[in-house]
Amino acid sequence: MIVFGLLARRRCYRAAKKSTLRPSDRQDRSLLTRAGLGICGVFGLALLAACAGMPRTPFTEADQIAAVPIRPGSLRFWADSKISAFQNEGRLAVAQEGQPFTYLALSGGGGGGAFGAGILNGWTESGKRPEFTVVSGVSVGALIAPFAFLGSAYDGRLKEIYTNGDAERLISRPDPIGAIFGSGLFGHGELRRLISRYIDEEMLEAIAREDRKGRRLLVVTTNLDAQRAMIWDLGAIAVIGGPKAFKLFGDVLAASASVPVIFAPQLIDTEVFGRRFQEMHVDGSISVPVFTLPDSYLHGGKTMTSRRARPDIYIIENGRIEAGFSVVPNQSEAIAAQSFSTMNRVGVQAVVAQTYKTAKKDGIGFHLAYVGRDFPEIGGTGFETDTMRRLYSYGYAKARDGAFWSTEPPQIAVAKQTASISTP
């Protein structure tokens, strides 16, 4: 059975190498294609894999709702919670003296995170980067979020993460058997170790200081047990301090970027009524491609008001938001990858469009940056160091020169252009 699985994977690998995908398509589907190579052996290994995973302590939905990761308090909430969950008076975000209320939302995008890093650092160079009142991050955006939150003092460290080759080394040794047996295609703990290299206790102390001023740092994970998006208040965790808070902080960042099968899920320790168990959390973009405003605001018809100057929301989409075209090979891994890529892109477009609609209604300034058609198509996984350096430089140049914000989603602009053409 194992031999069958390995032979199946080998056939998939050969098929993938002969793929007629354009470079851009291969890049968009990079990790999923690699995952597909490992998953090709699933059927051959299914019986063994069924009993290979480590057993988990059972718990109920009621346990899940009441569970706390460190201590009781407002450390996290569901993305689809009632508005009251976001209006906790003790945790309301406060714009700093002399500063407008600014919200930065960072999306997922794998190696495309280099674009977001370049945008932030180029924005600093332009002299126009504000101090953000709230920063949210999903997936690779979660890894950028702490650095964006702390400001230009951490620009050097942010650049290093996305240009020094660490990301390419992270996925340099795929282990398809590991993907089947639960540790992930690229090994258990690799992502967590990368985070530990750049996030230290001094950084958490700095985040805690900013949190006490009323600024907020939020990260999204997907709770697989509950099948819901969970928003983590990382500033509140940083304020608690100590080894447990430091571990939880890193676990949440790793969970938000843990693409299922590619990286192992993060099992986060929680407790309810003295009984301990672990929740399974994975990539935040599985449930929320980019976290701009709570569902209760986006879809509930509520109005947000501000007595200060007009608030602004900035969205950095670490990838392409406009649809592309390619003839998809009639191969299972290519079909799955294209389907996932399309689903994710449509999801981003939907969130961005709804955010734009809400912002326009409530008088919030809307600003969107994304990888445009002017960036050349590059093949590979998207995690090659050269590719990430190019993306970083592309984002940096755009932000430095001030030509990187769109004030409406691209589909709105296209619709307006189409309407003007069709109007006699």
Side-chain angles (χ1 to χ4, degrees):
M1 196 68 80
I2 292 177
V3 172
F4 173 80
L6 293 175
L7 289 175
R9 175 187 175 260
R10 188 176 181 184
R11 289 188 60 189
C12 285
Y13 177 74
R14 289 176 175 173
K17 288 185 68 177
K18 296 178 181 179
S19 170
T20 58
L21 290 175
R22 297 185 311 170
S24 60
D25 304 310
R26 288 196 296 272
Q27 182 178 352
D28 285 347
R29 308 163 197 168
S30 56
L31 289 183
L32 281 172
T33 299
R34 285 199 178 194
L37 303 182
I39 294 172
C40 283
V42 166
F43 297 107
L45 295 169
L47 293 177
L48 290 176
C51 58
M54 293 294 292
R56 298 178 61 201
T57 300
F59 58 94
T60 66
E61 185 175 3
D63 291 335
Q64 165 77 89
I65 293 172
V68 293
I70 298 180
R71 69 181 189 191
S74 302
L75 299 183
R76 60 184 190 168
F77 44 87
W78 301 111
D80 56 2
S81 296
K82 294 180 180 179
I83 292 178
S84 57
F86 302 91
Q87 295 177 327
N88 182 331
E89 291 186 3
R91 299 297 301 163
L92 288 177
V94 179
Q96 302 305 290
E97 189 67 32
Q99 297 277 348
F101 188 100
T102 53
Y103 186 119
L104 174 67
L106 298 154
S107 82
F115 169 74
I119 285 287
L120 288 166
N121 288 8
W123 201 357
T124 296
E125 185 67 20
S126 74
K128 298 179 180 179
R129 176 174 164 181
E131 180 181 73
F132 305 112
T133 313
V134 180
V135 175
S136 75
V138 178
S139 194
V140 73
L143 302 183
I144 299 173
F147 303 95
F149 181 76
L150 290 177
S152 59
Y154 286 81
D155 282 0
R157 195 180 301 189
L158 181 60
K159 178 181 179 180
E160 183 181 351
I161 295 172
Y162 289 95
T163 61
N164 72 353
D166 275 350
E168 186 172 10
R169 287 188 288 272
L170 183 68
I171 62 167
S172 62
R173 295 185 298 275
D175 178 15
I177 301 301
I180 302 302
F181 284 85
S183 64
L185 185 62
F186 293 104
H188 180 74
E190 290 296 324
L191 182 59
R192 190 65 177 80
R193 282 189 285 273
L194 177 66
I195 291 170
S196 297
R197 197 174 305 152
Y198 292 99
I199 304 289
D200 54 28
E201 292 184 8
E202 181 181 343
M203 193 170 181
L204 255 68
E205 291 172 1
I207 290 171
R209 286 194 297 271
E210 295 304 313
D211 181 88
R212 292 187 183 100
K213 297 176 184 177
R215 300 177 61 215
R216 301 292 176 250
L217 174 60
L218 309 175
V219 159
V220 182
T221 65
T222 298
N223 184 318
L224 276 188
D225 299 314
Q227 302 178 54
R228 299 167 74 184
M230 178 162 279
I231 314 301
W232 294 83
D233 189 338
L234 291 193
I237 294 173
V239 167
I240 293 173
K244 288 185 178 180
F246 183 70
K247 179 181 182 299
L248 178 60
F249 192 100
D251 286 346
V252 170
L253 291 182
S256 186
S258 292
V259 181
V261 181
I262 304 301
F263 297 110
Q266 291 295 311
L267 297 173
I268 296 180
D269 296 325
T270 55
E271 182 177 333
V272 59
F273 306 126
R275 192 167 67 87
R276 298 177 181 178
F277 59 90
Q278 293 180 314
E279 301 170 348
M280 182 177 287
H281 290 256
V282 297
D283 194 328
S285 65
I286 298 297
S287 51
V288 178
V290 57
F291 183 69
T292 55
L293 298 169
D295 293 350
S296 47
Y297 282 121
L298 288 178
H299 306 293
K302 302 295 181 179
T303 299
M304 296 194 308
T305 59
S306 173
R307 296 179 181 178
R308 295 176 177 265
R310 185 189 75 165
D312 287 286
I313 185 166
Y314 297 90
I315 304 172
I316 297 180
E317 166 55 36
N318 292 301
R320 302 182 188 276
I321 197 171
E322 299 166 294
F325 173 82
S326 65
V327 176
V328 181
N330 192 17
Q331 300 165 354
S332 59
E333 73 276 10
I335 294 169
Q338 176 78 330
S339 299
F340 184 87
S341 176
T342 301
M343 179 179 65
N344 184 69
R345 192 169 302 189
V346 170
V348 169
Q349 290 175 345
V351 172
V352 168
Q354 192 62 44
T355 301
Y356 172 75
K357 178 181 177 181
T358 302
K360 192 172 182 180
K361 177 190 69 176
D362 289 352
I364 302 171
F366 177 89
H367 314 272
L368 171 68
Y370 57 94
V371 178
R373 296 182 184 276
D374 57 333
F375 184 76
E377 307 284 8
I378 301 175
T381 66
F383 281 91
E384 290 82 5
T385 303
D386 181 63
T387 298
M388 296 180 72
R389 286 173 178 168
R390 292 189 192 185
L391 266 172
Y392 174 88
S393 297
Y394 168 74
Y396 182 88
K398 274 186 170 294
R400 181 194 58 200
D401 298 337
F404 65 114
W405 292 121
S406 298
T407 56
E408 60 186 9
Q411 61 266 39
I412 301 294
V414 170
K416 287 181 178 179
Q417 184 179 12
T418 302
S420 64
I421 294 174
S422 60
T423 301

